[in-house]
Amino acid sequence: MANSAAVLSMYDEPMWESIRAHDWHLQQCDDCSEWRYPPGPCCPKCLSPRSTWRPLSGRGEIASWVVFHRQYFDNWPPPYNVVAVKLAEGPLVISNLTGPEPEGSWIGRPVEVAYGTDAAGTLLPQMRLAE
Amino acid sequence: MTARDLARVGAVIGVGESDYVGDHARVRAGEKPADSYGYAADAFRAALADAGIGRDEIDGLIVGPTLAYERTGEILGINPRWGGQADAMLAVIEACMAIRSGLAEVVALVYGNDQRSAAIQYGGPEAMGGNMFLSYVYHAPWGFTSQGALYAMMFRRFGELTGCTERDLGEVAVAQRHAASLNPHALMRKPITIEDYMAARYICEPLRLFDYCLINDGGVVLIIAEAERARKMARKAPVLIHGVGRSDLNRGATSLEPRLLEFYRPAQEACAAQVYAMAGVGPEDMSALQIYDSFSCHVPFALEGYGYCRPGDVGRFMREDGIGLGGRIPVNTGGGHLSESYMQGWAHQVEAVRQVRGECGARQVAARGAGDSRFVHYNSDVAGKAVSIIYGS
Ligand SMILES: [Zn+2]
């Protein structure tokens, strides 16, 4: 086994830099204002190559969740959860819910970004329940 | 625009498989019976014998994604006038396209995979397929890996929205295991109950052990010929390819939007419209349904997406109307990836052909078409690429 690793294309590097600064940024299209995830060379909506890295509000709601019971990475001993979160800006992202967990269904629960780490200490944008 | 008609252009004249059961026993005992090419060669010899033709009749060659094209042709001694590489479902469609265009008349579709003995990993740091599908590796920093987890995330939301429960999902594993118990080529033949299913451990909750496909070595070959020539040359009655369909969802694929927010439904519906129109038959005419099932939940998604039950009703449909042999629509009648053999969709084509021919013994499905004709529908939705094929007499 080994630790998990991020995919680091030339477009991903600025995102991870912003995460290390506890201020998660994504690209926003200069021409149609669409937010882009994952980072990439042009806007899938209008094909414009022009974009600006902007900070996210950090707010969203849970679209789905799972709990891993099998180990695939050294830095992720089970059990642990993974959530899909629809960000207020539009993109759907994958993260982990930290802190208290909801009773019953998690779907539709509002969350906000809470920076945390995996078992190896790598910083990640994770989520916690919001008011 | 509709697809130019590929209906009844090609027919399957021969099918062959490696010895899944015998080879699996040897692999588990620490042996290496063959590599991917060796399994492919086993299946090729079997397919030629099934068709009753000689190798020199073949003028087209398509190899699966795990085989190198040239080396496969070299090992099997085939110099075709047309060839290529494709997964199981696209190989069938491309063979029909080549035949329709006159580029080939008798096409061998060849697959071999030593994934078990070669210890291929589908999750974790060396996840297979990450070079083709970014979603398979992109979310690893959050511990999110393996295609099973992607389907667990998808089924969780689907179940919450439609009321399809984990227990309802268990119908898939139970029905397919029962079918496998009647299939001498299947690896997992011990019947299970819903209680066995519910008692099994979670791998990625809400999916359990029995929701995951097995991993084994093997090879599969189909021989598809131009329909007129098929009637003259084949030892057995040819199985016609009555229609094909395809529709892809690539937008938002890595962020999982079409998977989690649409359950690939738009692709399935577009694919269904194309394949039913081309074949001139619909869900009510099918004797059986073969579904690409790396994970059990492919089945409920497909049942709704291809019009076998009302949207939102699949939990009740599987529980009450039934998807096993004798049910409303028998699904994966050989046991599928969950219980027969994980041949990445290739063995499903073989099972469809054998069901149309009426060769399936204790697991044989009944005719529903006019006269004694049988139709079997295959479909897949791997990573949002919806593909359908309808086989029939
Ligand atoms: Zn744009």
Side-chain angles (χ1 to χ4, degrees), chain B residues 68-332:
Chain B
Y69 172 79
E70 181 184 79
R71 182 64 181 145
T72 306
E74 178 180 13
I75 286 172
L76 302 182
I78 301 173
N79 284 339
R81 63 187 175 108
W82 176 85
Q85 188 171 41
D87 63 27
M89 20 283 170
L90 297 186
V92 173
I93 295 179
E94 288 175 17
C96 292
M97 291 164 62
I99 289 167
R100 163 106 194 188
S101 68
L103 290 172
E105 272 191 12
V106 184
V107 185
L109 285 57
V110 179
Y111 173 81
N113 196 339
D114 64 354
Q115 56 192 339
R116 174 86 180 213
S117 58
I120 298 294
Q121 299 298 312
Y122 290 90
E126 303 291 332
M128 186 65 160
N131 56 335
M132 299 294 289
F133 303 103
L134 187 56
S135 63
Y136 292 2
V137 293
Y138 197 77
H139 310 292
W142 295 271
F144 194 52
T145 187
S146 90
Q147 296 170 48
L150 299 182
Y151 277 94
M153 190 72 91
M154 188 174 173
F155 179 73
R156 172 83 80 182
R157 183 172 166 90
F158 179 84
E160 292 285 327
L161 297 184
T162 64
C164 181
T165 65
E166 293 175 24
R167 197 178 182 88
D168 293 337
L169 183 63
E171 298 286 344
V172 176
V174 171
Q176 291 189 200
R177 181 59 67 84
H178 174 253
S181 76
L182 304 173
N183 176 6
H185 303 289
L187 292 181
M188 309 292 276
R189 299 189 61 192
K190 185 177 164 220
I192 57 170
T193 64
I194 290 285
E195 281 64 38
D196 295 331
Y197 170 85
M198 293 298 286
R201 67 179 186 274
Y202 284 121
I203 304 295
C204 185
E205 189 179 344
L207 297 188
R208 293 175 164 83
L209 179 65
F210 291 124
D211 294 310
Y212 281 63
C213 64
L214 36 91
I215 304 285
N216 63 294
D217 287 7
V220 180
V221 168
L222 288 89
I223 300 173
I224 296 180
E226 188 277 321
E228 278 307 308
R229 194 161 158 208
R231 283 185 196 95
K232 293 180 197 125
M233 77 191 300
R235 191 167 67 86
K236 298 176 177 175
V239 172
L240 287 167
I241 295 158
H242 286 259
V244 299
R246 177 175 178 180
S247 181
D248 298 354
L249 293 175
N250 295 325
R251 292 182 189 176
T254 303
S255 74
L256 309 177
E257 285 168 19
R259 180 188 290 270
L260 298 182
L261 304 183
E262 301 183 302
F263 311 114
Y264 297 144
R265 184 67 50 83
Q268 291 178 330
E269 288 177 349
C271 182
Q274 184 185 323
V275 74
Y276 294 148
M278 194 182 293
V281 293
E284 64 285 356
D285 301 304
M286 302 302 166
S287 290
L289 178 57
Q290 309 297 328
I291 298 171
Y292 191 105
D293 59 327
S294 302
F295 308 96
S296 60
C297 53
H298 283 280
V299 171
F301 301 143
L303 289 167
E304 291 200 359
Y306 287 91
Y308 285 86
C309 69
R310 282 183 291 109
D313 191 39
V314 76
R316 187 209 59 78
F317 181 88
M318 294 194 298
R319 196 173 60 241
E320 294 179 9
D321 293 354
I323 54 172
L325 297 168
R328 175 76 70 84
I329 180 72
V331 172
N332 288 340

